[in-house]
Amino acid sequence: MSEIKLAVSTRTEFGKGAARRIRRDSKVPGVLYGHGSDPIHLTLPGHELLLALRTPNVLIALDIDGKSNELAIPKSVQRDPIKGFLEHVDLQLVTRGEKVNVEIYVHTEGELAPGGNLLEHVLNALPVEAEATHIPESVTVSVEGLTAGDSILAKDIPLPSGTKLGVDGDTVVLQVLAAQAEEAAEGEAEGEESAEA
């Protein structure tokens, strides 16, 4: 897992006007919380933060005002819905060796059995508990040869050492749907809409 270093500063101005001024300077307002301590309001470098957030569950080493160093993981990121730039970020304070609850992306590899069936991601991300400094970015699952009706449960997914499931092992993560059943369901829905009309 990668660790990104960011030089950040504390901020004392709050509200929409202050946030706009921060963003005009290509920076991002944020807050650091956790471990029962008072939240610390921060100003973070916009471009460097944007690059860091491209890595899922990135570990961020914060140099706060050049006086203290803290480790954090992103918990909530707000983006402008149209332009996509960062508006605000919530960071959770962590320590080395500490276990944290996060979600990791589930990637698939391989081909389904022939027949035009569809693979449904019931969970796009898998809740897990992992050490803060060893959070896996993702897990990869083989769907090679799966047929309609097959499913992959959370307990079937191989996790890296030191990582535990954060959901019941029998939770369905992926399932294969029969193409005909999908079409029939759509046809029934359309029929019901026509009848209502």
Side-chain angles (χ1 to χ4, degrees):
M1 175 177 181
S2 54
E3 183 176 312
I4 307 287
K5 294 182 180 179
L6 292 182
V8 303
S9 57
T10 52
R11 60 187 170 97
T12 52
E13 287 189 305
F14 308 102
K16 289 184 179 177
R20 279 194 204 102
R21 282 193 294 279
I22 290 170
R23 288 192 282 270
R24 263 200 306 269
D25 290 338
S26 300
K27 296 183 179 176
V28 180
V31 64
L32 173 67
Y33 62 87
H35 296 170
S37 58
D38 290 336
I40 302 172
H41 297 274
L42 302 171
T43 299
L44 300 102
H47 182 66
E48 290 91 330
L49 179 62
L50 189 64
L51 293 177
L53 293 176
R54 288 183 178 169
T55 302
N57 295 315
V58 63
L59 183 67
I60 301 175
L62 299 169
D63 177 2
I64 304 174
D65 294 330
K67 297 174 184 171
S68 66
N69 294 290
E70 301 288 359
L71 287 176
I73 56 173
K75 287 308 278 185
S76 173
V77 178
Q78 295 171 21
R79 297 177 186 269
D80 180 273
I82 297 167
K83 297 183 180 176
F85 62 79
L86 297 173
E87 291 191 326
H88 190 274
V89 63
D90 286 0
L91 301 169
Q92 179 183 336
L93 194 61
V94 296
T95 56
R96 295 187 191 279
E98 175 186 0
K99 297 278 188 180
V100 293
N101 293 307
V102 294
E103 291 188 341
I104 56 176
Y105 291 108
V106 178
H107 297 295
T108 60
E109 63 181 10
E111 298 289 328
L112 298 177
N117 296 320
L118 303 171
L119 180 66
E120 180 186 17
H121 287 253
V122 179
L123 292 180
N124 286 318
L126 186 66
V128 297
E129 181 187 76
E131 189 181 325
T133 52
H134 293 94
I135 300 171
E137 289 182 20
S138 63
V139 287
T140 302
V141 182
S142 173
V143 296
E144 187 67 39
L146 295 183
T147 59
D150 287 345
S151 60
I152 293 178
L153 306 179
K155 65 184 177 187
D156 300 329
I157 297 176
L159 295 175
S161 175
T163 304
K164 293 181 184 174
L165 280 178
V167 292
D168 185 271
D170 291 326
T171 301
V172 175
V173 179
L174 300 163
Q175 64 184 6
V176 181
L177 304 175
Q180 297 83 358
E182 193 74 6
E183 289 166 13
E186 286 174 11
E188 284 173 19
E190 286 169 12
E192 285 171 12
E193 285 171 13
S194 302
E196 286 173 11

